[in-house]
Amino acid sequence: MHISQSTFSELPVHLAVKWVVLVVLFSFTMPTIGAVPDTGKVLILSDPKARHDINSAPQASGLYACPKGLSPDAVVKLQRMAMLEPIDPHSLQTTTLPDFQRNHRYCMFIAFRNETDQYQWKLHFSNFFLHKVKIILWDGTSLQAYQSDWMSGVGTESINVLGRAFSLKLEHNKDYFMAVELTSRGLVAAPYVALMTKHQYQAWSAAMSDLYSLSTGVVLGLVLMALLCSVILKDITFFWFGISSLFLFSFFAIRSHLGLFVIHGDEDLPPWIWLWATMALLSFMLFARSFLLPEPDDRPLKRIFNAAIVIFLLSLLLSQFLSRQWNVAVYLLNGIIMITLIFSAGIVRVIEKGRYYLIFMLGWVPVLFSLVELVGTVTIEPKPGDSTLSYKILREPVYQIVHMLIHFVAMVIRIDTLKKEKHQAEMKNEAKSRFLASVSHDLRQPLHSMGMFLAHLNDYVSSPAGQNVLTKVYGLHTTMNDSFKKLMDLSRLEAGAVKLNSESIDLRLLIARMQLEFEPYACAKGLKIRFRSNIKKLDTDPELLERILRNLLTNAIKYTETGGVLVGFRRRKRHLLIQVWDTGCGISADDQHVIFDIYERSEKVSASHKGMGIGLAIVRHLVDLLGGEILVRSAESNTRAKTGTLFQVKLPYTETSSQETESKAKTGLRIIVDLPDTPMLSKVSGSLKSWGYLTTDESSEGGSVPITLIIMACAGQLTAESMADSVSHLEEQYGNVVIALFCDHVDRELAGKLTALNVHILSAHYRPAQLRSLLRYLESFLLKKQT
């Protein structure tokens, strides 16, 4: 609010007289104050291009506490001082660093003369945390009064980047006496008061505004660049870098003219300011943690960082019950904790690896310097005559630009380093795959020959001791053969030779087969195995899914001594969750990141269990091939509790439609299962149903079909003549017949004769892949015939 001279003419006469007495008594007291040298001199305004620092000028009285301010009571007191009474030179205590929290009001006065030809001037006050400013200008004959109160909003005063300015009219060669009153209740730095011509102020203010706008624009541009990098590179470090930089910018901007419109000049800090401070601290911590602690072996430091984050959240809860002074102290302590953790973790990383970690630590130096400078501004008292310019508000965005550029360089080097490390890891992995393929090829023939020699050796070993040794050798050969098959599977998976063949399966039948296969194994160890599912059918590769389940169940039973295993199938939106729980020994946090690697194995597991430990490596490749993901949650068992392990496989879920199942029955292929009521019958029927095929007991036998597949088992002595008679008899009944015969020990000559009769020999130990291959062959034959 601007009170002009005409306004004063309308005031009561006695009030006007009091203002005149106040100014006159100020003039009398100026020569008697010894705290500031040369207070009796007049500040000469002779250069229209100069900017005069009022509060640091020797002619100014300096700031002193005036609890009652420029009021009638002060006038009475000064009247008494003018009554020829001796005045103590030190009775007026001045300071260059006012403590507005202790004394909410400070005053200052100065005499000056305008010797320029300029009459339009600007009186500038920096620091937006000065809530009220009152000015009284006396020229010996008239008064001009000005007042600004942020609580009432922005009035006629001009707003610039650093503060506010008032328009003064100063006549040529005329003496003026000015008294200033400043009011605030917060932690306020020493204000800067400057007097300059209107033209000089406009140029100065425009230059400051342009510099501040340019620097803040660069900061916001770098923030946007960081967020875009986080999206493009899918790197969480860039995301937290952008968010933390945005909070840092807001911390600096809130102390400029932008903060005036956010805080609205409230003397008390708004409640949301503590939430904002907490979010800023959290973003800094998360950025530093994601950069400094990306590796799994950094868990101790991560726990410390997580503990600090919990402390910050608790501070936010306490802020609702603490006073402003206590909250400032608590959050200052939080800032010290944050800086200490960041630099401690950074020093550890620099010692271990150096390079971009050192650059990362250097990136915090400009911010730390800015904060230290801010603390020094509000705590260190400047010397008399020193300028307390508030250009720090202009420097802070520049500090942040340097901070962000250094961190950008550190992250670019980090990305390049990680890219090189990834390339080296891929090269090593490729070399391992080539080695694995070479070893698998070299082992195939010796293992096959060993099996043949062992079979022949059985006829020459008759003693019980020899048979016992031979049995052990057989067992070792079986173990080696199983490991070799796993190596071959892994080699094919890594080489991309395994193709995905998705089709409809009945999950209930798959579960039944798994239960039939693993229940005896579990019961032999005294374990319970249970299956739970709310899904009937789905589309996937049944062979790959079965191999995943078989590996996970084998591991779960192997490493579980008491309790049991639970297998659950659940649908989650468009995904199938397969969860295998056990109550076994658990997996330590250090071992969980190596269990899927063929080339690394837990020392604890290696010492207590035999085998190569590549089952989970195969599972991971199979899950990747199916377009899913696998995770493990576990903790090592202790004396108080046994938590066991959970392996969870998440696969894409597509429900099978009934039309797809019916289409299998309309391909022109009739299937007859002629097997005795044995586990073999259950396995074959289950496989056919899971693949979507209907047998003759499930579909009508009426009408003729191009091919009838009859699934049988060997009975008695198998010869080409007996099978020719059987085929002839079946063709009279069904037409064109193809026979799938489960039989063992068929020599090559007889197998060739049977193939000519459309009799295909399958292993007596049921292998779904063999039957599936035959069905696909017949379907492709029928499809070609139809087209």
Side-chain angles (χ1 to χ4, degrees):
M1 180 178 65
H2 177 202
I3 304 177
S4 63
Q5 181 178 353
S6 60
T7 304
F8 270 89
S9 64
E10 299 175 1
L11 296 175
V13 176
H14 68 279
L15 183 59
V17 172
K18 287 183 178 181
W19 281 113
V20 172
V21 172
L22 169 65
V23 175
V24 171
L25 291 178
F26 270 146
S27 301
F28 283 134
T29 57
M30 285 176 59
T32 64
I33 298 173
V36 180
D38 299 327
T39 54
K41 293 183 180 180
V42 176
L43 176 64
I44 304 300
L45 308 179
S46 58
D47 186 358
K49 296 183 179 180
R51 187 172 62 253
H52 304 279
D53 299 347
I54 299 300
N55 57 324
S56 62
Q59 295 81 4
S61 66
L63 291 170
Y64 64 93
C66 49
K68 296 183 180 180
L70 302 177
S71 64
D73 293 336
V75 173
V76 173
K77 183 177 181 181
L78 290 174
Q79 284 177 333
R80 293 174 181 173
M81 294 174 61
M83 297 298 295
L84 301 177
E85 296 179 2
I87 299 176
D88 184 0
H90 301 288
S91 61
L92 194 60
Q93 298 294 331
T94 62
T95 180
T96 56
L97 185 64
D99 185 0
F100 283 97
Q101 291 181 308
R102 181 177 180 181
N103 301 298
H104 305 320
R105 187 180 290 105
Y106 281 83
C107 298
M108 176 184 67
F109 49 88
I110 186 173
F112 57 87
R113 180 186 301 122
N114 179 19
E115 294 187 354
T116 68
D117 57 356
Q118 301 291 321
Y119 71 95
Q120 291 185 336
W121 290 73
K122 285 282 189 177
L123 182 64
H124 163 79
F125 290 84
S126 69
N127 202 318
F128 286 93
F129 291 92
L130 293 172
H131 296 100
K132 296 180 182 179
V133 176
K134 184 186 294 184
I135 306 167
I136 301 171
L137 187 63
W138 169 250
D139 62 359
T141 58
S142 62
L143 286 171
Q144 296 182 46
Y146 306 85
Q147 183 168 326
S148 173
D149 187 351
W150 287 147
M151 299 293 292
S152 303
V154 179
T156 57
E157 64 270 28
S158 302
I159 302 299
N160 53 58
V161 175
L162 302 181
R164 78 203 89 181
F166 300 89
S167 297
L168 306 181
K169 292 184 179 180
L170 305 179
E171 297 182 11
H172 178 63
N173 284 334
K174 195 168 186 179
D175 293 331
Y176 289 90
F177 180 81
M178 182 172 62
V180 177
E181 178 187 315
L182 307 176
T183 306
S184 183
R185 293 180 178 273
L187 186 63
V188 181
Y192 165 59
V193 186
L195 183 63
M196 66 197 87
T197 63
K198 181 179 179 180
H199 177 75
Q200 177 66 16
Y201 169 80
Q202 290 174 343
W204 177 67
S205 178
M208 290 190 304
S209 178
D210 292 343
L211 177 61
Y212 189 79
S213 299
L214 177 62
S215 57
T216 55
V218 173
V219 170
L220 294 177
L222 293 175
V223 169
L224 180 60
M225 185 184 300
L227 296 177
L228 288 176
C229 288
S230 71
V231 175
I232 296 173
L233 301 175
K234 296 181 180 180
D235 189 343
I236 193 65
T237 305
F238 273 99
F239 172 77
W240 288 121
F241 173 56
I243 297 298
S244 63
S245 298
L246 195 60
F247 274 107
L248 183 62
F249 167 75
S250 65
F251 173 76
F252 291 148
I254 205 170
R255 295 171 47 250
S256 70
H257 62 301
L258 301 177
L260 176 63
F261 303 99
V262 176
I263 302 181
H264 303 293
D266 294 338
E267 291 189 353
D268 292 328
L269 294 175
W272 57 262
I273 203 74
W274 309 117
L275 174 61
W276 167 80
T278 302
M279 297 300 294
L281 290 173
L282 291 178
S283 65
F284 294 142
M285 291 290 287
L286 292 172
F287 166 52
R289 190 183 72 170
S290 62
F291 190 97
L292 294 172
L293 312 174
E295 300 176 2
D297 55 356
D298 295 323
R299 286 186 179 85
L301 282 174
K302 283 186 177 179
R303 293 192 187 99
I304 298 175
F305 270 78
N306 293 339
I309 291 174
V310 172
I311 292 174
F312 296 163
L313 295 175
L314 291 176
S315 300
L316 176 61
L317 295 177
L318 290 175
S319 67
Q320 307 302 316
F321 308 99
L322 299 178
S323 64
R324 180 177 64 176
Q325 288 77 8
W326 276 105
N327 277 326
V328 170
V330 168
Y331 277 85
L332 180 61
L333 178 62
N334 288 344
I336 295 174
I337 292 174
M338 180 192 71
I339 292 295
T340 303
L341 282 181
I342 291 176
F343 275 85
S344 299
I347 291 173
V348 172
R349 303 303 286 174
V350 168
I351 294 174
E352 291 178 349
K353 294 190 176 181
R355 300 190 302 277
Y356 56 86
Y357 291 104
L358 179 59
I359 300 177
F360 175 79
M361 299 307 299
L362 292 176
W364 291 99
V365 173
V367 177
L368 188 60
F369 176 78
S370 178
L371 296 177
V372 171
E373 187 181 35
L374 174 61
V375 173
T377 303
V378 298
T379 56
I380 300 176
E381 183 175 0
K383 296 178 180 179
D386 288 352
S387 176
T388 56
L389 293 176
S390 297
Y391 290 142
K392 177 173 169 47
I393 294 177
L394 300 178
R395 295 196 298 268
E396 285 169 345
V398 178
Y399 292 151
Q400 185 172 358
I401 291 173
V402 176
H403 151 78
M404 296 186 70
L405 289 177
I406 294 176
H407 276 170
F408 259 116
V409 171
M411 285 190 286
V412 168
I413 298 175
R414 172 178 176 265
I415 291 175
D416 182 64
T417 303
L418 293 177
K419 184 178 179 181
K420 292 179 180 178
E421 292 177 353
K422 181 181 178 182
H423 177 69
Q424 293 175 355
E426 289 175 350
M427 294 293 292
K428 291 179 180 179
N429 189 56
E430 184 179 349
K432 292 174 182 177
S433 298
R434 289 196 301 267
F435 172 75
L436 183 62
S438 175
V439 170
S440 301
H441 180 270
D442 293 341
L443 286 175
R444 181 187 292 111
Q445 186 58 40
L447 280 173
H448 179 69
S449 300
M450 184 185 297
M452 294 179 59
F453 289 141
L454 287 173
H456 286 293
L457 188 61
N458 189 48
D459 297 335
Y460 297 98
V461 178
S462 57
S463 66
Q467 284 291 332
N468 185 32
V469 173
L470 187 60
T471 301
K472 293 181 179 179
V473 175
Y474 265 121
L476 292 174
H477 177 263
T478 302
T479 302
M480 291 176 63
N481 201 37
D482 290 341
S483 298
F484 170 72
K485 288 179 180 179
K486 290 181 178 179
L487 280 173
M488 289 296 294
D489 290 342
L490 189 60
S491 178
R492 294 179 67 242
L493 285 167
E494 291 187 341
V498 178
K499 303 301 180 182
L500 180 63
N501 297 306
S502 181
E503 60 185 57
S504 170
I505 65 170
D506 190 331
L507 190 59
R508 295 170 297 179
L509 296 175
L510 176 61
I511 292 174
R513 289 200 305 274
M514 292 292 101
Q515 192 164 8
L516 186 66
E517 179 179 347
F518 285 95
E519 260 188 352
Y521 182 25
C523 291
K525 294 188 67 174
L527 305 176
K528 293 182 180 180
I529 183 169
R530 293 175 295 166
F531 293 82
R532 296 288 185 269
S533 174
N534 58 6
I535 301 173
K536 296 180 180 180
K537 295 183 178 295
L538 73 151
D539 283 346
T540 188
D541 189 310
E543 184 178 350
L544 300 186
L545 180 60
E546 190 169 331
R547 290 168 67 184
I548 291 172
L549 288 173
R550 184 170 283 107
N551 277 290
L552 292 178
L553 284 171
T554 300
N555 269 11
I557 296 174
K558 179 189 294 186
Y559 298 109
T560 302
E561 299 300 330
T562 58
V565 178
L566 173 63
V567 184
F569 299 83
R570 292 187 292 175
R571 180 179 178 180
R572 287 292 181 268
K573 295 182 179 179
R574 297 184 179 181
H575 293 90
L576 169 68
L577 291 185
I578 304 174
Q579 295 176 320
V580 180
W581 302 78
D582 66 56
T583 57
C585 58
I587 305 172
S588 68
D590 294 332
D591 290 337
Q592 286 180 24
H593 69 283
V594 302
I595 57 176
F596 296 105
D597 192 342
I598 179 179
Y599 303 104
E600 291 189 55
R601 197 180 185 200
S602 168
E603 295 181 1
K604 176 182 175 182
V605 173
S606 300
S608 58
H609 294 85
K610 297 179 180 179
M612 300 178 64
I614 64 175
L616 289 177
I618 293 175
V619 168
R620 185 194 61 184
H621 282 287
L622 293 174
V623 170
D624 291 342
L625 189 59
L626 290 174
E629 58 185 24
I630 184 171
L631 61 86
V632 58
R633 291 205 302 266
S634 179
E636 285 188 292
S637 60
N638 51 47
T639 57
R640 294 174 293 177
K642 292 187 176 181
T643 55
T645 303
L646 164 66
F647 282 94
Q648 178 174 288
V649 178
K650 184 178 180 181
L651 299 176
Y653 177 81
T654 305
E655 192 171 3
T656 302
S657 64
S658 58
Q659 294 179 353
E660 293 173 350
T661 302
E662 292 176 359
S663 65
K664 295 274 188 174
K666 296 179 181 180
T667 56
L669 178 64
R670 175 166 49 196
I671 301 176
I672 299 174
V673 180
D674 186 14
L675 293 171
D677 190 8
T678 61
M680 176 72 77
L681 175 61
S682 175
K683 292 179 181 179
V684 172
S685 299
S687 295
L688 291 173
K689 288 182 180 179
S690 66
W691 298 333
Y693 294 98
L694 301 179
T695 57
T696 53
D697 59 342
E698 299 168 305
S699 60
S700 174
E701 296 185 35
S704 60
V705 294
I707 297 177
T708 298
L709 174 64
I710 301 176
I711 303 175
M712 306 171 59
C714 282
Q717 185 68 28
L718 180 64
T719 63
E721 291 75 11
S722 62
M723 283 306 304
D725 294 338
S726 297
V727 169
S728 178
H729 176 72
L730 292 172
E731 285 181 343
E732 290 177 1
Q733 184 177 0
Y734 297 108
N736 192 12
V737 171
V738 175
I739 297 176
L741 190 64
F742 290 105
C743 192
D744 265 347
H745 306 298
V746 177
D747 59 46
R748 186 174 298 178
E749 182 180 355
L750 177 58
K753 293 179 180 179
L754 295 177
T755 302
L757 296 172
N758 280 333
V759 178
H760 298 269
I761 304 299
L762 305 181
S763 173
H765 301 286
Y766 176 58
R767 296 176 181 174
Q770 288 183 327
L771 180 58
R772 187 66 181 280
S773 178
L774 177 60
L775 288 168
R776 287 176 176 168
Y777 167 74
L778 296 176
E779 282 185 340
S780 63
F781 173 80
L782 290 172
L783 183 61
K784 291 179 181 178
K785 186 175 181 181
Q786 290 173 0
T787 56

